[in-house]
Amino acid sequence: MSDVDFAPISLERLQRVFRPLSLLANPVSTGLEQVLASGPVLFVGDHTIYGGLDLPMLGLEIYEQTGRPVRGLAAQIN
């Protein structure tokens, strides 16, 4: 899949989906001013239970602050 094929979910839809979690967790993100407006950026997340809660909220915050949608990368391990 190339970047041309990628169609991100709208910011408004993501905000609607994650609003209950953000009200419950009240996340705070710092350092997002370091995320460039263009070019490659790699975030490496934790694989603990918090990764399932924190990473979606961080992805939403990055999208809101920079306009850059976040895509995940995973590998299937058998």
Side-chain angles (χ1 to χ4, degrees):
M1 177 183 283
S2 70
D3 286 339
V4 175
D5 298 333
F6 177 66
I9 297 172
S10 73
L11 179 57
E12 294 78 20
R13 185 171 181 188
L14 285 174
Q15 288 170 328
R16 198 170 48 249
V17 168
F18 289 116
R19 181 158 174 72
L21 182 57
S22 66
L23 291 173
L24 176 67
N26 194 22
V28 175
S29 300
T30 60
L32 294 180
E33 66 277 359
Q34 301 298 318
V35 177
L36 303 175
S38 63
V41 176
L42 177 65
F43 287 95
V44 179
D46 192 353
H47 289 89
T48 66
I49 191 166
Y50 295 111
L53 299 174
D54 294 343
L55 292 178
M57 299 307 303
L58 177 60
L60 177 60
E61 187 74 15
I62 291 168
Y63 200 178
E64 289 175 334
Q65 298 280 330
T66 68
R68 295 184 71 164
V70 175
R71 293 187 266 182
L73 175 66
Q76 181 177 355
I77 300 174
N78 294 326

